[in-house]
Amino acid sequence: MTGTARDLIAEARKSLGTGEYPAGSNSNYVVTWYNENVARIGRGPWCDMAVTMWGARAAISNIVGKFAYTVYHAQWFEKRGQWHEGAAGIRAGDVVFFDWGKSRRIGNIDHVGIVERVEGDEIHTIEGNSGDVCKRHVRDSTYICGYGRPAYATPAVVAPSGSPILKKDSTGDRVRALQRALNRAVYGALKV
């Protein structure tokens, strides 16, 4: 049985506050765990090692991946058909990839974390090796290259029975709500 997004988030929360010992060394228990359980690569940036460790501890490494290099990790999601460019539709449990240069090219990814929750335009993340510490951030879509959505055991959210389906020429409050959400998600200019 595959685990859930909640399992991954719970494991990530256990690492909050983890730093490097000594400071600036790229050395801590996350790096040690990775070297002992995945591959011996020595020290290095550990943001993706943290995601790998959280996935293993949540017993879902088969759907989260085992990586130390963010570019390979994003490419893995892409090859599995689980890659989503940008931030539209992002949700808790997604593995989020950042490109500080804003190119939105997988080859330029610099950093990775997991989504803890989404509130409107704010994406709340837990990220390892962020300023040499594992900590929470509130991000918008500015630097998000994309995200991988693991194939969790829990089913996708389904519209409740009797919910209207929006289609061409639909009108009303639900259409306006959808247009506002699309404008926020992609910084669009739909006339509401």
Side-chain angles (χ1 to χ4, degrees), residues 39-54:
R40 294 197 179 277
I41 62 168
R43 291 188 248 174
W46 50 276
C47 58
D48 216 0
M49 292 182 208
V51 172
T52 296
M53 183 183 78
W54 301 333

Side-chain angles (χ1 to χ4, degrees), residues 7-22:
D7 297 331
L8 180 64
I9 293 165
E11 287 301 327
R13 287 176 178 154
K14 293 176 185 177
S15 294
L16 287 168
T18 298
E20 297 178 355
Y21 308 102

Side-chain angles (χ1 to χ4, degrees), residues 135-177:
K135 58 186 167 184
R136 287 182 165 108
H137 286 279
V138 178
R139 306 279 192 190
D140 61 25
S141 63
T142 304
Y143 297 101
I144 294 176
C145 180
Y147 59 93
R149 174 153 303 142
Y152 293 111
T154 54
V157 176
V158 177
S161 176
S163 291
I165 296 174
L166 298 178
K167 55 189 173 191
K168 187 177 179 182
D169 298 323
S170 291
T171 60
D173 290 338
R174 289 181 182 261
V175 172
R176 287 187 286 281

Side-chain angles (χ1 to χ4, degrees), residues 28-92:
N28 61 19
Y29 79 88
V30 174
V31 176
T32 301
W33 179 91
Y34 190 91
N35 280 290
E36 291 174 356
N37 294 281
V38 181
R40 294 197 179 277
I41 62 168
R43 291 188 248 174
W46 50 276
C47 58
D48 216 0
M49 292 182 208
V51 172
T52 296
M53 183 183 78
W54 301 333
R57 290 185 171 179
I60 56 173
S61 58
N62 60 319
I63 63 167
V64 173
K66 297 178 183 179
F67 295 90
Y69 182 47
T70 55
V71 171
Y72 291 165
H73 198 169
Q75 289 171 339
W76 181 78
F77 278 115
E78 185 178 45
K79 287 176 189 168
R80 296 166 66 101
Q82 297 169 307
W83 174 254
H84 303 270
E85 188 174 315
I90 199 167
R91 64 185 184 208

